[in-house]
Amino acid sequence: MFKQIDQAIQKHDSIVISRHKAPDYDAYGAQFGLFYALKESFPRKNIYVIGDTNSLNRFRDFDNIDQTILNQSLMIIVDTAVEQMLFDQSFQHAKMLMVIDHHQNDSDLNPAIYYKDTEASSASELIARIIINNRYLLPQIAAKALYMGIVGDTGRFLFSSVKPETFQIAAKLLATGIDLNEIYNSMYVETLQAKKMKADYLKEVVISQHGVGYRFIDRDFLSLHQIDSFTASRSLANQLSGIKEIPIWANFTDDVASGRILCELRSREIPIVGVAKKYGGGGHLNACGCTLAQKEAIQDIIKDLDHLAEVHHG
Ligand SMILES: [Mn+2]
């Protein structure tokens, strides 16, 4: 697989790197990690990064590329394999398509090369494997991006997706001299206002019969705390983790722009990705999500999750 990936990269003078919309640290980490490693390793190639941006971007702005460039480019999509997660349709114009992902979903993009490993902690870990195995150069800025991606998707090496290889790769990234203190501060220092919002969140949590904890974030909550729907959905998704009575937890956020409901589902051990898939979403076994057209469907999801909690506790 690494050789096949290398051949595709060697063969193209123009490479466009994309990832899922509304990027998290792993999407950025995989995208920029690959970008900076390829730029350093192949200075004569034209390497581009495309996509939407948000407050988690610690690197650079994205490129605007026209169809002429796309037509001669290898496009590499990281941290997703499905069309509905992409911010535009530009993949349709690429000369060749490569997908590198660690999610459970199958790809509907018909890529020429599909490197999928659902056991990997993060897309950033997959990119690091490619760089290391193909002996590409690893500049410090690429190592920083990849390290942030692994840290982001493993909850600081906490989740069971962490394997011996995750630490072996982290060690190689750290050996480039990246500043961990700076990295963790840039990722995890938050405002007093944000802390207060999290405290407020916990005040109205509902717990189902078999321990599914959840909360609905309405427009009043969003305007009171001056936060947008997407940021609230992601940043509050894990507020119910680590609570003994709650093996499964969910967060539902009113998406003001679309009128839909953003759902984040999480669990300590019980696999729940089947529920996310049932409602048109996907992700990982214990961390996944979907978007609902109507608020009424929340109770259906809770029912399904509650059933899983019941079955797994015997
Ligand atoms: Mn990821």
Side-chain angles (χ1 to χ4, degrees), residues 20 24 26-27 79 101-103 121-124 153 284:
H20 63 76
D24 54 8
D26 184 38
D79 204 27
D101 189 29
H102 69 129
H103 292 90
S121 71
S122 51
S124 298
D153 257 25
H284 307 286

Side-chain angles (χ1 to χ4, degrees), residues 3-279:
K3 198 168 175 198
Q4 210 185 339
I5 291 169
D6 181 51
Q7 282 167 351
I9 288 170
Q10 299 280 356
K11 212 167 67 184
H12 291 85
D13 293 327
S14 175
I15 298 172
V16 179
I17 308 171
S18 184
R19 37 70 189 163
H20 63 76
K21 64 187 172 188
D24 54 8
Y25 283 119
D26 184 38
Y28 281 127
Q31 182 180 35
F32 285 119
L34 184 61
F35 170 77
Y36 290 115
L38 292 183
K39 262 182 85 79
E40 189 85 356
S41 305
F42 305 100
R44 283 208 285 267
K45 290 186 192 296
N46 293 310
I47 321 273
Y48 306 95
V49 281
I50 59 168
D52 51 333
T53 193
N54 59 29
S55 63
L56 302 182
N57 186 356
R58 302 284 181 272
F59 296 92
R60 49 158 273 174
D61 289 339
F62 293 97
D63 299 304
N64 280 311
I65 49 170
D66 57 35
Q67 211 159 306
T68 328
I69 293 176
L70 283 169
N71 287 334
Q72 55 199 24
S73 294
L74 164 67
M75 183 180 283
I76 306 177
I77 295 172
V78 300
D79 204 27
T80 186
V82 296
E83 186 174 348
Q84 63 158 351
M85 294 295 287
L86 298 174
F87 84 108
D88 73 1
Q89 305 293 309
S90 58
F91 74 94
Q92 291 174 347
H93 305 291
K95 187 174 166 203
M96 185 181 189
L97 193 62
M98 183 190 300
V99 170
I100 299 165
D101 189 29
H102 69 129
H103 292 90
Q104 294 278 337
N105 313 58
D106 288 321
S107 184
D108 58 2
L109 300 170
N110 194 27
I113 297 176
Y114 184 15
Y115 178 29
K116 172 183 177 178
D117 183 355
T118 59
E119 296 280 299
S121 71
S122 51
S124 298
E125 182 174 326
L126 295 179
I127 298 298
R129 285 184 199 166
I130 292 166
I131 292 168
I132 292 164
N133 280 282
N134 286 330
R135 299 175 185 280
Y136 297 155
L137 298 174
L138 180 65
Q140 202 176 83
I141 189 164
K144 178 183 172 180
L146 295 169
Y147 191 90
M148 288 174 76
I150 295 172
V151 164
D153 257 25
T154 61
R156 294 178 253 187
F157 301 100
L158 194 66
F159 303 154
S160 56
S161 58
V162 173
K163 304 285 185 323
E165 192 188 1
T166 316
F167 285 114
Q168 283 159 4
I169 285 169
K172 290 199 168 104
L173 300 174
L174 194 50
T176 64
I178 53 173
D179 183 343
L180 287 193
N181 197 34
E182 185 226 309
I183 286 173
Y184 289 123
N185 286 343
S186 91
M187 292 175 76
Y188 296 110
V189 170
E190 58 186 354
T191 61
L192 179 59
Q193 175 60 33
K195 271 282 193 233
K196 284 183 174 172
M197 174 180 72
K198 289 175 179 175
D200 190 14
Y201 181 84
L202 293 175
K203 284 180 191 158
E204 282 179 44
V205 168
V206 184
I207 301 177
S208 74
Q209 192 184 353
H210 299 98
V212 178
Y214 63 100
R215 163 145 200 192
F216 179 71
I217 300 180
D218 59 16
R219 288 165 195 226
D220 289 345
F221 185 97
L222 294 169
S223 63
L224 177 68
H225 295 288
Q226 304 205 339
I227 188 168
D228 66 88
S229 302
F230 176 77
T231 311
S233 177
R234 276 298 172 91
S235 65
L236 295 168
N238 248 338
Q239 286 309 296
L240 299 179
S241 69
I243 299 173
K244 197 175 178 191
E245 299 89 338
I246 302 178
I248 299 175
W249 54 101
N251 180 57
F252 303 97
T253 306
D254 194 340
D255 185 20
V256 178
S258 71
R260 302 185 344 147
I261 311 292
L262 308 175
C263 311
E264 295 288 348
L265 315 178
R266 302 286 186 274
S267 71
R268 213 163 14 251
E269 286 161 41
I270 302 167
I272 50 169
V273 73
V275 176
K277 284 183 177 175
K278 180 178 167 186
Y279 295 89

